[in-house]
Amino acid sequence: MPIRQILTAPDPRLREISKPVKKVDDELRALMDDMLETMYDAPGIGLAAIQVGVPLRVIVMDLSDSDDKPEPRYFVNPEILDPSEDMSVYEEGCLSVPDYFESVDRPSQCRVKYLDYDGNEQILVAQGLLATCIQHEMDHLEGVLFIDHISRLKRDRILKKLKKEQRFKKVMDEDAPTDGLLQ
Ligand code: GNR
Ligand code: NI
């Protein structure tokens, strides 16, 4: 099961609105398997399909301690129901905005309705990190990144640094010796 490449901001694909899944079939399960492996490899605690360039409403997650038994979770066509009035703040990061962390306020509790790995409907009550992470991933399905919840000044500074790093990586790739030169 291949690890897929994770898109990083400001890749325009991260701004796409993901489409509902029509059917939870083996092809979709293969995508979810790849996503989970990609997330573990990164490593991260959640991943939305658009982060690997697939604009479908699919999320994988594992909030277990890395030393403990894995607890993968799969959310297909998730919907947030009755978010709480009270908010929690969490220092968020994102695999598509590597190496930056900022405080984000979100409803501290919500319910989530979704289809699981087998296509069965589930409803889950989420609080704490699970609530934060689900809302972070739901944002990805709407083309929203956690940096959209912080000040414009901070966001622009982060995006500028990411662009600069990407230019640098591109130049390094172009200058890298080919196999021929190495022989
Ligand atoms: O790995 C991740 N950690 C994280 C930490 C705080 C709040 C949200 C997250 S999700 C992130 C992985 C990711 O980018 N998912 O989209
Ligand atoms: Ni993210």
Side-chain angles (χ1 to χ4, degrees):
M1 283 182 293
I3 287 166
R4 305 202 187 189
Q5 203 191 340
I6 297 177
L7 306 180
T8 52
D11 191 307
R13 285 170 288 179
L14 290 168
R15 296 307 189 178
E16 280 180 39
I17 296 179
S18 294
K19 298 220 153 40
V21 168
K22 293 210 177 86
K23 191 161 180 264
V24 181
D25 55 13
D26 287 346
E27 194 186 341
L28 190 81
R29 278 185 280 271
L31 168 67
M32 294 196 282
D33 293 346
D34 282 6
M35 285 170 60
L36 195 74
E37 199 164 337
T38 303
M39 183 193 81
Y40 285 141
D41 178 69
I45 58 173
L47 192 75
I50 193 62
Q51 292 180 277
V52 293
V54 179
L56 286 176
R57 302 186 83 82
V58 178
I59 293 166
V60 297
M61 202 179 292
D62 190 333
L63 304 181
S64 68
D65 231 301
S66 53
D67 299 336
D68 297 347
K69 188 169 76 58
E71 284 171 23
R73 297 171 185 268
Y74 309 87
F75 301 89
V76 177
N77 298 342
E79 289 171 51
I80 300 260
L81 309 173
D82 34 62
S84 63
E85 300 260 327
D86 57 304
M87 309 286 277
S88 291
V89 59
Y90 203 91
E91 191 87 344
E92 296 197 15
C94 180
L95 294 173
S96 297
V97 187
D99 303 327
Y100 293 93
F101 297 85
E102 295 288 347
S103 294
V104 178
D105 257 2
R106 299 184 188 274
S108 50
Q109 293 179 27
C110 60
R111 289 194 304 146
V112 194
K113 185 173 142 185
Y114 62 98
L115 302 178
D116 65 15
Y117 194 81
D118 301 311
N120 297 318
E121 192 173 297
Q122 303 282 350
I123 293 187
L124 173 84
V125 178
Q127 54 183 343
L129 182 58
L130 178 59
T132 293
C133 194
I134 283 184
Q135 292 173 73
H136 172 114
E137 303 309 338
M138 292 290 301
D139 270 356
H140 277 299
L141 307 188
E142 301 300 322
V144 173
L145 301 172
F146 83 92
I147 49 172
D148 299 331
H149 296 290
I150 64 178
S151 75
R152 170 180 289 243
L153 183 72
K154 281 187 184 166
R155 176 169 62 251
D156 288 351
R157 206 158 54 203
I158 291 172
L159 286 171
K160 196 171 154 195
K161 287 193 194 145
L162 286 173
K163 272 187 218 166
K164 194 168 160 189
E165 268 170 48
Q166 280 164 32
R167 270 204 309 276
F168 178 72
K169 281 198 191 116
K170 192 159 172 278
V171 170
M172 293 302 282
D173 284 351
E174 281 164 4
D175 280 353
T178 65
D179 284 352
L181 285 169
L182 280 173
Q183 277 165 10

